[in-house]
Amino acid sequence: MYFIRKATSDDIESIREIAEKTWRYTYSPTHEKEQLDYMLTEIYSVEKLSSQLKHGIQTYLLLTEDEKPVAFAAYSPREEDPEIYKLHKLYCLPETQGNGYGKVLINEVINKTLEAGKHILDLNVNRYNKSKNFYEKMGFVVVYEEDIPIGKYWMNDYVMRKELVLKSISV
């Protein structure tokens, strides 16, 4: 049994633990340990997460399974174009991958995007990450490539997009 709720500052350590386990599992084959250490520290520091949660920079959704945090997503309007929402993060513990939690979280972010009156959802995925196939199955398409510097390292990403439509119910 799972439950999704909006994360609070009380959830920072759970978010950090999920990120740590998932990043190491996902990126160890393609990234050096030093790069992973640096990027995890840079992106998932207590200070950065606290600021994002406190100031509403990103909304975090936490998925729990039997009251244990096992996955999270983070989203917000894009800074450069608030008409487009962006899924910044989507991570499920390795042992829960394949349980459908990624799909559940994406659908929740889609619902929140539509509730905000927006109809485009973007995300970045590393060009070497097999999750690209999952996003394609969810209806996202590659719109361009982007290389983002983080310290002396680079995130080599695809930017993927999904056009969202309200589904009407026929009576």
Side-chain angles (χ1 to χ4, degrees):
M1 182 71 153
Y2 70 85
F3 180 72
I4 298 173
R5 64 176 171 77
K6 187 174 176 182
T8 69
S9 58
D10 293 338
D11 298 309
I12 288 174
E13 281 311 310
S14 295
I15 291 167
R16 287 171 46 89
E17 285 177 30
I18 294 167
E20 171 81 22
K21 289 177 182 174
T22 307
W23 271 58
R24 300 237 181 253
Y25 174 81
T26 302
Y27 296 115
S28 289
T30 57
H31 294 72
E32 294 179 18
K33 181 186 180 312
E34 293 77 24
Q35 181 177 1
L36 291 177
D37 291 343
Y38 179 82
M39 293 174 86
L40 279 164
T41 300
E42 184 67 22
I43 297 169
Y44 291 100
S45 70
V46 170
E47 297 77 22
K48 187 157 277 190
L49 291 172
S50 294
S51 176
Q52 289 173 347
L53 288 163
K54 179 180 178 183
H55 301 293
I57 296 167
Q58 291 181 21
T59 300
Y60 282 77
L61 300 175
L62 190 66
L63 187 144
T64 58
E65 177 183 73
D66 299 324
E67 300 182 26
K68 178 188 177 223
V70 297
F72 71 90
Y75 67 95
S76 73
R78 286 189 78 121
E79 279 183 41
E80 63 277 12
D81 185 351
E83 289 301 308
I84 299 173
Y85 266 47
K86 181 171 182 180
L87 175 64
H88 295 277
K89 302 169 181 82
L90 175 67
Y91 294 104
C92 303
L93 286 174
E95 61 268 24
T96 67
Q97 292 177 7
N99 290 354
Y101 295 152
K103 183 177 181 179
V104 166
L105 282 167
I106 284 179
N107 285 331
E108 186 66 18
V109 171
I110 287 170
N111 289 338
K112 298 293 186 189
T113 302
L114 289 168
E115 285 172 15
K118 308 306 177 195
H119 299 278
I120 299 173
L121 181 62
D122 283 357
L123 62 83
N124 282 45
V125 64
N126 184 277
R127 291 197 290 265
Y128 307 104
N129 188 334
K130 63 184 177 186
S131 296
K132 176 180 176 272
N133 297 328
F134 165 73
Y135 294 125
E136 288 172 333
K137 288 179 186 170
M138 292 293 300
F140 288 85
V141 296
V142 173
V143 288
Y144 58 93
E145 293 181 9
E146 181 172 63
D147 296 317
I148 304 163
I150 297 187
K152 66 179 186 176
Y153 302 105
W154 290 87
M155 290 176 45
N156 307 111
D157 291 350
Y158 291 118
V159 176
M160 301 184 79
R161 175 170 290 171
K162 181 174 176 132
E163 304 267 341
L164 310 177
V165 293
L166 287 172
K167 294 194 169 128
S168 59
I169 300 171
S170 301
V171 188

